[in-house]
Amino acid sequence: MKPYRVLLYYIYSPIENPEQYREEHHLLCLELNLLGRVIVAPEGLNGTVSGLAADCDAYMDTLRNDPRFAGIEFKIDESDEHTFQKLHVRVKKEIVHSDLPVDPLRQTGIHLEPDDFKRLKNDPNVVLVDMRSNYEHSVGKFKGAITFDMENLRELPEHIHEIEHLKGSDKKIITYCTGGIKCEKASAYLIAQGFDNVYQLHGGIIKYGMEAGGEDFDGECYVFDNRVTVPVNHVNPSVISTCHRCGTPTSRMVNCASPACNNHFTLCEACGLDHQGTCSDACKEDPELRPYDGTGYYGKETLSYSPLQGFKSRQGQPLTVEIK
């Protein structure tokens, strides 16, 4: 068993004073030596963090013991080390930025557990719809799924016409995403737009891989940490993406070593070395080119970073918060 854990979670549950809770939550992460990204919003909590197993257990226990988050679910993976370089706990308007006029606490698609999804996914009366960004589904998606060429969930309304033919049909629409959070709003939006028989994969691709083996998920799943992509399918794995440079099959996704570009793209190991981790010859000539270390993951400049950063009151004094 590996020493570190990676936790992926979200919960829609009203938080009355997000700014105050952000400070409490930031301190909790500091106390437990966790790194990662956490979003606090009036509508709830969304995060991905990494830390030692015991620290992650204490973190989960603390959240579950808070009445607001009693129903929270964690997707738990193992790692040899931290999968993040920093800790950021931020207040935002939404826990997943969508600008969709829906409330997941009022209505969403019917939640399907992984085993139920596995049973239904190949039914000819079922249509799978990927709610992730284009660079995510380019490296991995379910067989036969409909995908949209969108950069983020805010663009979903611009692509509804692509599945308009499903309105009024007897087809079951099953939406899916990485961890389930986007589908809470995406499925609600489809219902609001007049679609019937709308379902969503509860816990997303990650939970499906962990609990049901990941069958028929082609390629790998894009994740928002140092790993970039992770394998999901332990039954019939395949590779669907090709190297941007040479065209050989690869699921290896990187960020371009040119900071001016920083695009996500697939790159085989050989081309990574030959082209210094860049997506084009023009990027290779960038005078600010970052050294390519073989991973293709570049954290932002950390020279002045401290995990205590931002943990100050409006008067600039350290805050003391009791964590129970």
Side-chain angles (χ1 to χ4, degrees), residues 128-148:
L128 304 182
V129 183
D130 195 315
M131 289 299 172
R132 299 171 302 152
S133 302
N134 44 26
Y135 62 86
E136 295 176 79
H137 59 66
S138 70
V139 76
K141 67 184 184 69
F142 282 107
K143 290 184 188 298
I146 292 174
T147 59
F148 301 131

Side-chain angles (χ1 to χ4, degrees), residues 78-113:
E78 296 182 1
S79 177
D80 290 318
E81 58 189 3
H82 268 298
T83 58
F84 291 93
Q85 295 174 312
K86 300 181 181 181
L87 169 66
H88 290 296
V89 184
R90 296 186 173 101
V91 173
K92 294 191 176 183
K93 184 176 67 173
E94 301 175 272
I95 57 174
V96 59
H97 194 17
S98 72
D99 287 335
L100 299 177
V102 295
D103 181 357
L105 291 175
R106 293 179 180 273
Q107 186 178 42
T108 64
I110 298 170
H111 288 59
L112 289 175
E113 294 301 324

Side-chain angles (χ1 to χ4, degrees), residues 6 14 37 84 94-95 119 124 131 159 168 183 189 231 285 301:
V6 185
R37 303 186 187 98
F84 291 93
E94 301 175 272
I95 57 174
R119 177 175 53 84
M131 289 299 172
H159 295 273
C183 288
Y189 183 72
E285 299 302 317
E301 186 63 50

Side-chain angles (χ1 to χ4, degrees), residues 46-293:
N46 174 24
T48 309
V49 297
S50 65
L52 289 168
D55 293 329
C56 286
D57 286 343
Y59 180 76
M60 290 187 287
D61 288 343
T62 301
L63 292 190
R64 288 172 177 145
N65 288 331
D66 188 319
R68 294 170 295 184
F69 313 129
I72 198 168
E73 293 186 14
F74 293 92
K75 272 75 75 178
I76 308 170
D77 204 354
E78 296 182 1
S79 177
D80 290 318
E81 58 189 3
H82 268 298
T83 58
F84 291 93
Q85 295 174 312
K86 300 181 181 181
L87 169 66
H88 290 296
V89 184
R90 296 186 173 101
V91 173
K92 294 191 176 183
K93 184 176 67 173
E94 301 175 272
I95 57 174
V96 59
H97 194 17
S98 72
D99 287 335
L100 299 177
V102 295
D103 181 357
L105 291 175
R106 293 179 180 273
Q107 186 178 42
T108 64
I110 298 170
H111 288 59
L112 289 175
E113 294 301 324
D115 285 338
D116 295 324
F117 175 84
K118 182 178 181 179
R119 177 175 53 84
L120 284 173
K121 63 181 172 57
N122 295 324
D123 188 317
N125 204 40
V126 164
V127 178
L128 304 182
V129 183
D130 195 315
M131 289 299 172
R132 299 171 302 152
S133 302
N134 44 26
Y135 62 86
E136 295 176 79
H137 59 66
S138 70
V139 76
K141 67 184 184 69
F142 282 107
K143 290 184 188 298
I146 292 174
T147 59
F148 301 131
D149 184 16
M150 60 184 185
E151 291 292 329
N152 51 62
L153 194 58
R154 297 192 302 276
E155 298 176 14
L156 178 60
E158 302 169 22
H159 295 273
I160 287 297
H161 69 277
E162 297 173 36
I163 56 172
E164 197 78 22
H165 61 284
L166 298 175
K167 278 187 180 179
S169 72
D170 60 352
K171 298 286 188 182
K172 291 183 175 69
I173 300 173
I174 305 179
T175 67
Y176 71 86
C177 59
T178 305
I181 185 170
K182 288 184 178 179
C183 288
E184 300 285 2
K185 291 191 173 181
S187 67
Y189 183 72
L190 293 187
I191 294 170
Q193 295 300 304
F195 290 88
D196 300 315
N197 301 318
V198 179
Y199 297 75
Q200 66 187 77
L201 173 56
H202 182 52
I205 299 162
I206 298 298
K207 186 176 181 181
Y208 175 70
M210 290 178 173
E211 297 186 5
E215 183 179 33
D216 288 339
F217 185 83
D218 292 337
E220 296 196 357
C221 183
Y222 185 93
V223 291
F224 298 86
D225 59 50
N226 296 20
R227 298 171 297 173
V228 187
T229 64
V230 296
V232 167
N233 190 335
H234 309 292
V235 180
N236 55 349
S238 63
V239 177
I240 65 169
S241 50
T242 58
C243 176
H244 179 76
R245 284 287 200 168
C246 72
T248 60
T250 182
S251 291
R252 188 171 176 274
M253 182 165 271
V254 302
N255 287 92
C256 183
S258 166
C261 175
N262 206 43
N263 282 338
H264 304 276
F265 69 103
T266 45
L267 189 70
C268 70
E269 290 190 23
C271 285
L273 295 173
D274 289 346
H275 300 287
Q276 299 176 49
T278 60
C279 66
S280 69
D281 290 343
C283 287
K284 193 173 179 178
E285 299 302 317
D286 186 343
E288 302 297 326
L289 194 67
R290 296 174 289 202
Y292 178 67
D293 66 358

